[in-house]
Amino acid sequence: RDVAILKDSTFSQEPFTYPFFYDMLWSDKKGDQHLALSAHDFNPFNELFNVSQRLFFSNARDGKLWTLPYKTGEVKRQFSLQSIRSWVNGSLAGGVSIRLPEKNGDAEVLSMVTPLSSLMNPSLPPGYGFCIFDEKGEAWFHSETAKNTQENFIDEADKDDKIIAAIRGRMAISFESSYHNEKHQMYVQPINNIPLYIVVYHNLSYY
């Protein structure tokens, strides 16, 4: 197994990190990496981790994939996704995986660990925010990025019946609700073809 480190050669005197992904991983069915491409200095342990405990890997390996919306005649684009915290440095990211075609050596799953720049630490007007959460309310991606995987949005919204109804009915709805004990205007809608939901909100005390 090999490790390949991507480094920028144009600005050799400047620190450089490719902004759109951290790592690309080719893994076998056991989760052992056969090749890893890193867009930053590699982990200080100088070893390839087994990723079998990561759902973005195991769901892809086991065929538990989500399908992006597609039109008749188009190829289905299937993937798995997980909100994760790095085992190396604790940074927050998204893990995305696909199944590799047959006859690809021992590697069965291709994974990318990415900062998902549009979701991590976004610039928003004061009082505004968003959260992408699952059917249980667990926050996958939050506009306050430190809350990723650390908050249950339904609980923090006092288990509002309107949020629960929107989840059960897979419907879009706008309403006022309490969030962290303050009144907010909220809009919730399901994400097409994916068992996740997005809520955007603003704190009514700001305006």
Side-chain angles (χ1 to χ4, degrees), residues 94-122:
V96 184
S97 293
I98 62 171
R99 284 292 299 270
L100 289 169
E102 296 180 2
K103 299 180 180 179
N104 202 69
D106 291 328
E108 294 190 6
V109 176
L110 172 61
S111 305
M112 177 174 66
V113 179
T114 168
L116 293 174
S117 301
S118 62
L119 300 179
M120 302 290 185
N121 299 309

Side-chain angles (χ1 to χ4, degrees), residues 14-138:
E14 298 293 329
F16 172 81
T17 299
Y18 186 67
F20 303 115
F21 77 85
Y22 295 145
D23 302 288
M24 298 285 288
L25 313 172
W26 284 258
S27 307
D28 63 24
K29 63 182 180 182
K30 295 180 180 179
D32 291 327
Q33 298 173 40
H34 286 248
L35 177 67
L37 298 178
S38 180
H40 53 82
D41 289 337
F42 203 65
N43 73 73
F45 307 107
N46 195 32
E47 64 181 46
L48 295 172
F49 290 113
N50 180 286
V51 293
S52 60
Q53 299 304 309
R54 291 293 201 189
L55 287 177
F56 68 82
F57 163 80
S58 61
N59 283 344
R61 177 196 61 194
D62 299 338
K64 299 176 181 178
L65 299 169
W66 296 343
T67 303
L68 292 174
Y70 66 97
K71 298 178 181 178
T72 302
E74 291 182 341
V75 175
K76 291 184 180 180
R77 294 172 293 173
Q78 296 184 305
F79 69 102
S80 64
L81 173 67
Q82 184 185 10
S83 179
I84 63 172
R85 184 178 293 273
S86 170
W87 288 335
V88 176
N89 57 20
S91 62
L92 296 165
V96 184
S97 293
I98 62 171
R99 284 292 299 270
L100 289 169
E102 296 180 2
K103 299 180 180 179
N104 202 69
D106 291 328
E108 294 190 6
V109 176
L110 172 61
S111 305
M112 177 174 66
V113 179
T114 168
L116 293 174
S117 301
S118 62
L119 300 179
M120 302 290 185
N121 299 309
S123 296
L124 297 174
Y128 281 81
F130 68 82
C131 180
I132 295 174
F133 59 92
D134 61 22
E135 294 173 336
K136 296 180 180 179
E138 299 300 329

Side-chain angles (χ1 to χ4, degrees), residues 182-197:
E182 295 186 286
K183 279 291 184 182
H184 286 71
Q185 182 67 36
M186 298 187 178
Y187 176 79
V188 178
Q189 74 171 43
I191 300 177
N192 288 346
N193 285 36
I194 295 174
L196 296 176
Y197 303 80

